[in-house]
Amino acid sequence: DDQDWLNQSAIDEMQDCDDLYFTGLSSANALSAAIGGKAFLPPFCAALPQLTASADWRQRHAAMMGISQIGESCAKQLKSELGGVLQMVLPFMTDPHPRVVWAALQLVGVYCEDLAPEFQSTHHATVLPAIIIGTQSPHIRVKAQAAAALVNFCSGCEQDKIDPYVDGLLAALVPLLQLDSHLVQEDAVTALAQIANHCSQGAFSKYYDAFMPGLRAIVERSSGVKDAAELQGKALECMSLIGKATGKERFSVDACQLMQVILRTLTGRESLTGDALCEYMLKAIPRICESLGPDFVPYLPQVMPLLLRSLGIDTKYGLVDVDDAAPEQEAGVISHTVGIRGQGQKRVSVHIEALSEKMVAAEIVTNMCMSLEDKFFAWLPQTLSLIHISEPTRLLSISYAVFCLKKKKSIRMKKKKTWD
């Protein structure tokens, strides 16, 4: 039923994977991967004209979805034929049937991931205008798919390709952000964040006042609302990326408000990970720190205790001979047997959730140290004392420790030259 489909999210649709439709999709993917693009593409392409020319929307839809499934497995062959593929696909972005338009947008979004960055670099002039047309569809689900395709396009795109289209893209996103639909708003906010993250600073700054009030409103409306945490988190992420793209002068007031929301939400929680909203907030902290620079220092007494607690979590990391008696399995701890050259078979165990939280905290602390440099050094003794090089977090830990030592040495050398 078309009306049911238009009101259904893609995630809801994918839950029914026993349907023949999804069996066909997975089979196209599996077969093309198994035999390779060189053998798969000739018979596959021979069947497409009959499908694309059909008056039955289901056959046109099948053609779009089939092509979308083979982008990764047939990438080598498709890259040289992308012009022809797009010449066939783009007319279906304005097909009379919304499900065919949705499938064409799905195809473009998948190829933006599977064939990046060549796809964006070579075909931006034809693909982006087609996606913008998709955002103007009267159907909510098609609008959401167009925004999702835009997210994928921007993720693999360079500044010089995005900048000429910023005006048109942002103009297309404004009405999507104003819709009373979480499905559309989430994808539109993510698309806005990707544009801010991938365009040059000057290209976005003039739009700051056009988008920030709306994003603030989304954060305020979504606070404490059931099923709105994802939208609130994406709006927070978008605000932090826009702030990073536009600079401290424009962002400082909103940054303070953002930090108040973040600290109010994170303070008192037992864990900083495992919750979508908290994870978005954690990612926003180093961006806000980078944007504000030394002006972020007053927030350290509130931020650092949260991160120090996470750095000090026991990850239950263990490395023992595989022949040793296995300890009683704790909740959340997983074990895996690995072969180590010169040492034989070993059993490695770790608490996954604790490890994840510790790595997130280590990455945030490292990024803040890089942004604040000597302004962060007062916190070095506490952070370094919680770093255990033997744990699986050692790569982040080592990079943090080395950076701190290099910076401290650099500052000392500068002071010595001044004294001399």
Side-chain angles (χ1 to χ4, degrees):
D1 185 275
D2 288 342
Q3 195 57 47
D4 287 345
W5 179 87
L6 288 170
N7 295 326
Q8 187 180 45
S9 72
I11 295 175
D12 294 335
E13 185 181 9
M14 289 299 292
Q15 289 175 351
D16 185 18
C17 289
D18 292 332
D19 190 275
L20 185 61
Y21 164 65
F22 294 109
T23 302
L25 290 180
S26 59
S27 297
N29 192 358
L31 182 59
S32 61
I35 67 175
K38 191 173 181 179
F40 180 84
L41 278 178
F44 178 80
C45 293
L48 287 178
Q50 181 179 350
L51 297 175
T52 56
S54 174
D56 186 343
W57 71 265
R58 291 171 297 182
Q59 295 201 31
R60 303 195 302 275
H61 178 274
M64 298 298 103
M65 294 304 294
I67 298 170
S68 74
Q69 293 300 299
I70 63 171
E72 185 175 7
S73 55
C74 302
K76 184 177 179 181
Q77 290 75 24
L78 283 172
K79 283 181 179 179
S80 61
E81 302 294 335
L82 269 180
V85 173
L86 285 174
Q87 190 175 4
M88 176 181 65
V89 168
L90 291 181
F92 293 98
M93 304 278 260
T94 55
D95 192 272
H97 201 285
R99 295 188 71 163
V100 179
V101 178
W102 182 93
L105 287 164
Q106 164 80 358
L107 187 161
V108 169
V110 169
Y111 277 29
C112 285
E113 280 191 308
D114 292 345
L115 305 177
E118 292 87 350
F119 184 82
Q120 288 90 329
S121 298
T122 308
H123 301 288
H124 55 89
T126 53
V127 170
L128 279 176
I131 294 176
I132 290 174
I133 291 174
T135 66
Q136 298 165 359
S137 168
H139 305 290
I140 292 293
R141 188 163 174 185
V142 175
K143 289 178 182 289
Q145 189 61 36
L150 184 55
V151 171
N152 289 355
F153 185 95
C154 294
S155 298
C157 201
E158 298 174 351
Q159 284 185 0
D160 62 335
K161 299 298 184 295
I162 283 283
D163 283 358
Y165 302 98
V166 168
D167 291 353
L169 292 173
L170 295 182
L173 288 177
V174 169
L176 301 189
L177 292 167
Q178 295 170 343
L179 287 172
D180 185 20
S181 167
H182 280 188
L183 177 66
V184 176
Q185 281 188 332
E186 284 183 13
D187 287 321
V189 167
T190 307
L192 181 61
Q194 288 298 327
I195 294 171
N197 195 35
H198 288 84
C199 74
S200 61
Q201 191 173 65
F204 199 97
S205 58
K206 62 182 178 180
Y207 294 100
Y208 187 92
D209 293 330
F211 286 99
M212 273 301 197
L215 292 169
R216 281 197 302 268
I218 290 174
V219 171
E220 292 168 2
R221 287 198 309 267
S222 304
S223 183
V225 177
K226 186 180 179 181
D227 300 327
E230 184 77 14
L231 177 58
Q232 185 183 22
K234 288 185 175 183
L236 283 164
E237 175 188 50
C238 187
M239 291 177 74
S240 67
L241 285 168
I242 289 175
K244 185 178 174 182
T246 53
K248 180 172 68 174
E249 289 71 20
R250 300 293 301 278
F251 184 48
S252 57
V253 174
D254 286 311
C256 293
Q257 295 178 356
L258 265 185
M259 285 305 302
Q260 290 172 7
V261 172
I262 290 171
L263 291 170
R264 187 168 60 244
T265 304
L266 297 181
T267 301
R269 294 184 62 90
E270 292 184 5
S271 173
L272 297 183
T273 56
D275 178 272
L277 178 58
C278 288
E279 290 177 6
Y280 279 115
M281 289 181 170
L282 289 171
K283 291 177 183 177
I285 289 174
R287 296 192 197 109
I288 296 172
C289 178
E290 182 180 349
S291 300
L292 295 183
D295 290 349
F296 187 84
V297 171
Y299 294 107
L300 290 179
Q302 295 169 278
V303 172
M304 286 306 297
L306 302 173
L307 298 175
L308 290 172
R309 187 190 65 189
S310 296
L311 282 174
I313 287 178
D314 183 5
T315 62
K316 309 293 182 183
Y317 174 66
L319 181 66
V320 298
D321 290 334
V322 73
D323 296 329
D324 291 352
E328 185 177 342
Q329 194 76 8
E330 297 183 46
V333 176
I334 65 167
S335 298
H336 189 67
T337 301
V338 296
I340 301 178
R341 184 178 296 178
Q343 299 186 42
Q345 296 293 306
K346 299 287 184 179
R347 184 186 298 113
V348 181
S349 59
V350 69
H351 192 292
I352 290 296
E353 291 182 6
L355 175 62
S356 174
E357 181 165 347
K358 191 160 190 167
M359 292 182 71
V360 167
E363 185 173 2
I364 293 172
V365 167
T366 301
N367 289 336
M368 289 198 306
C369 185
M370 290 179 176
S371 297
L372 298 177
E373 299 186 340
D374 59 312
K375 303 293 189 300
F376 187 82
F377 285 171
W379 295 93
L380 289 185
Q382 290 171 276
T383 50
L384 289 172
S385 68
L386 293 172
I387 291 175
H388 304 288
I389 301 301
S390 62
E391 290 193 351
T393 54
R394 61 186 179 274
L395 290 178
L396 279 171
S397 303
I398 290 170
S399 66
Y400 169 70
V402 170
F403 176 81
C404 293
L405 292 172
K406 283 183 175 179
K407 273 296 173 186
K408 209 150 193 177
K409 181 180 178 182
S410 172
I411 289 170
R412 284 175 177 168
M413 290 296 290
K414 287 178 183 177
K415 286 181 179 178
K416 185 176 184 300
K417 288 179 180 179
T418 302
W419 295 334
D420 291 343

